[in-house]
Amino acid sequence: MDPDHLRDLFAGLPQLSIRRLFGGVGLYSEGRVFALGAFEQIWIKADAQTIPLFQQAGSAPFTYQGRTRTVTLPYWSLPDEALDDPEQALKWARLGLAASRRAFEAGPRQRRARALRSTS
């Protein structure tokens, strides 16, 4: 992922930072991760409130093959129409940031339970 393109795409977010994370990059706003850049794709954090919006936009969940099973992370692909449109990208990024805030406020036990429910 080209960091300059990511900075341009999400420039409207406050305190935007990009850091190496899991072989890709994590995108942060005000210290909260709202997206990942990995496997030549941008993945936006999602939760029960926002997953239906990602589904309607034709996005796919971030999955990978673990040792014994397929693992699904709470991130969904940035919809195609937002890949080169900062206004659209910002709309999705704000949804990711809101999901990140809700997950943090829920606490670790509830985050884990939600993550498990969203993969089944």
Side-chain angles (χ1 to χ4, degrees), residues 43-98:
W43 306 92
I44 305 291
K45 185 151 180 75
D47 63 6
Q49 289 186 33
T50 58
I51 286 173
L53 300 171
F54 284 95
Q55 290 171 325
Q56 289 171 359
S59 296
F62 185 115
T63 61
Y64 66 91
Q65 189 59 45
R67 288 185 194 167
T68 60
R69 64 182 175 93
T70 300
V71 177
T72 302
L73 297 180
Y75 291 85
W76 284 65
S77 58
L78 182 65
D80 289 343
E81 73 270 4
L83 290 173
D84 293 314
D85 182 342
E87 189 174 311
Q88 282 295 313
L90 197 54
K91 170 188 138 184
W92 292 100
R94 286 183 176 133
L95 291 173
L97 191 54

Side-chain angles (χ1 to χ4, degrees), residues 3-20:
D4 291 331
H5 175 67
L6 294 172
R7 279 188 193 85
D8 289 343
L9 202 55
F10 299 111
L13 291 175
Q15 300 174 14
L16 179 67
S17 64
I18 301 170
R19 301 180 218 155
R20 296 181 61 78

Side-chain angles (χ1 to χ4, degrees), residues 15-34:
Q15 300 174 14
L16 179 67
S17 64
I18 301 170
R19 301 180 218 155
R20 296 181 61 78
L21 183 68
F22 305 126
V25 295
L27 289 90
Y28 298 78
S29 176
E30 299 179 321
R32 294 201 191 281
V33 66
F34 69 90

